[in-house]
Amino acid sequence: MARIVLLSFFSFLTLSSCQFFEKKTPNKDVLLQEELKKIDWKKVDAMPSTSYCDSIEDKKLCEACFFDYIKLNLYKRITNDTIQKNYPNLDTIKVRVTVFPDGDLKFKPIFSTGNLQEYNTTSVDSLLQTKLINFPKVEPAIKRGIKIKSEFEVPIILK
């Protein structure tokens, strides 16, 4: 008799214990929203880079190398002749650089509201675009293992 009671007790325990192992499946939309809240959309895992700066291991130094490389290339290309001759009073030009996920680049000059009347912005933009054809290859920024679009402004001191 004790054997039957003990056997039925273990059977009951075995059958009812399965409920303890059941897990509720979380809602995929809730999980997605939680994960999206964790992501800092203002930061990237890896900044855009060039082959010139790829060998640098330190993140801050690599970022500084990249910006110096971009500034130097922009400076060399736009200070050759045309912009300085046509606009001798222009001492600094800010350029918005957009790096697309496929590595394509877009350059757009940025003028303060005071400069809009002083300079023909369309002319400066077209001069900039012609000077920046065949710009060196840039690897796009990476966020969570995916190449993404990034934008930044670079001041180019002409004088």
Side-chain angles (χ1 to χ4, degrees), residues 7-32:
L7 186 60
S8 61
F9 174 72
F10 282 121
S11 298
F12 173 75
L13 188 62
T14 304
L15 293 174
S16 65
S17 67
C18 291
Q19 294 175 9
F20 296 120
F21 297 113
E22 286 183 23
K23 293 183 180 180
K24 291 187 177 184
T25 306
N27 186 339
K28 65 179 179 180
D29 293 329
V30 172
L31 285 175
L32 176 64

Side-chain angles (χ1 to χ4, degrees), residues 9-126:
F9 174 72
F10 282 121
S11 298
F12 173 75
L13 188 62
T14 304
L15 293 174
S16 65
S17 67
C18 291
Q19 294 175 9
F20 296 120
F21 297 113
E22 286 183 23
K23 293 183 180 180
K24 291 187 177 184
T25 306
N27 186 339
K28 65 179 179 180
D29 293 329
V30 172
L31 285 175
L32 176 64
Q33 292 306 318
E34 288 175 3
E35 195 64 28
L36 289 174
K37 288 177 186 175
K38 292 179 189 176
I39 298 172
D40 184 357
W41 294 103
K42 301 287 182 189
K43 294 183 180 178
V44 295
D45 298 337
M47 286 291 291
S49 185
T50 64
S51 58
Y52 182 76
C53 302
D54 280 347
S55 61
I56 300 173
E57 296 292 325
D58 185 73
K59 247 182 164 178
K60 294 285 185 192
L61 290 176
C62 188
E63 184 178 329
C65 174
F66 172 73
F67 283 113
D68 289 343
Y69 181 81
I70 293 292
K71 285 180 190 178
L72 180 64
N73 268 290
L74 286 171
Y75 178 80
K76 284 180 181 178
R77 289 165 180 265
I78 65 177
T79 58
N80 282 346
D81 54 355
T82 318
I83 290 181
Q84 282 186 325
K85 285 181 182 175
N86 291 347
Y87 303 101
N89 294 335
L90 187 62
D91 62 349
T92 302
I93 184 170
K94 278 189 179 180
V95 179
R96 177 175 292 130
V97 180
T98 306
V99 182
F100 293 96
D102 61 359
D104 287 343
L105 297 169
K106 178 182 173 188
F107 301 96
K108 178 96 175 122
I110 301 170
F111 296 96
S112 62
T113 53
N115 290 347
L116 289 176
Q117 288 79 24
E118 189 176 344
Y119 305 111
N120 180 347
T121 57
T122 308
S123 173
V124 173
D125 185 37
S126 67

Side-chain angles (χ1 to χ4, degrees), residues 114-157:
N115 290 347
L116 289 176
Q117 288 79 24
E118 189 176 344
Y119 305 111
N120 180 347
T121 57
T122 308
S123 173
V124 173
D125 185 37
S126 67
L127 287 172
L128 183 68
Q129 297 308 321
T130 43
K131 292 293 182 179
L132 297 175
I133 294 173
N134 297 326
F135 199 82
K137 178 87 172 129
V138 172
E139 287 297 319
I142 296 175
K143 179 76 171 180
R144 299 189 132 210
I146 299 170
K147 294 179 179 184
I148 61 168
K149 173 183 166 184
S150 57
E151 285 186 339
F152 46 90
E153 293 179 8
V154 179
I156 307 300
I157 300 170

